[in-house]
Amino acid sequence: MSPAISASRRRWTCASSAARPTHFTRYDLRPFFLNPCLPILQPDPMRGGMTDLRKIAALADTFGVTIAPHLFPELNVHLLASIPNGIWCENMGLIDDLWVDPPQIANGMITAPERPGHGLRFKDDVLKFKI
């Protein structure tokens, strides 16, 4: 979705809309910073990387734009805990069955694990499927 289409849509609705997660890097999102027509950006950290997502969050905060990273709440929870403009943690439950102790989501809130690293460990039965 281009900034022009986003701006047009925003003039005709009062609902907030987010950028589709097809913009992966801060370079892809540059037009949305220069023409801040969307209140929420939804970059995909699996395509652009966590380091670039932190840079995107800093740029977005400069322009008053919020961040809602696409999918993977078990990894994005750490990013959201470290930025001032995170708005939500998208969870579709796609890979919840892989983890021994996934981050808990209760009453719409997610808590970052306090274990070392990203705090995730695969279940033993998942590890038996080696590719």
Side-chain angles (χ1 to χ4, degrees), residues 8-56:
S8 175
R9 179 190 290 172
R10 191 158 184 201
R11 280 192 296 271
W12 295 100
T13 182
C14 60
S16 289
S17 58
R20 293 177 51 220
T22 54
H23 307 286
F24 306 127
T25 68
R26 62 191 183 277
Y27 305 106
D28 295 335
L29 291 164
R30 186 173 189 268
F32 294 95
F33 294 131
L34 297 176
N35 180 15
C37 53
L38 290 172
I40 305 165
L41 295 180
Q42 198 173 18
D44 186 338
M46 297 304 128
R47 305 261 176 90
M50 293 301 269
T51 300
D52 207 53
L53 189 55
R54 289 210 31 92
K55 293 175 182 179
I56 289 168

Side-chain angles (χ1 to χ4, degrees), residues 69-89:
H70 182 55
L71 297 175
F72 307 103
E74 56 281 333
L75 296 174
N76 289 329
V77 64
H78 299 284
L79 172 86
L80 289 166
S82 70
I83 62 173
N85 56 334
I87 191 167
W88 73 69
C89 191

Side-chain angles (χ1 to χ4, degrees), residues 111-125:
T111 303
E114 295 185 20
R115 297 179 294 276
H118 51 59
L120 298 171
R121 199 174 87 223
F122 285 112
K123 290 182 179 177
D124 290 337
D125 50 333

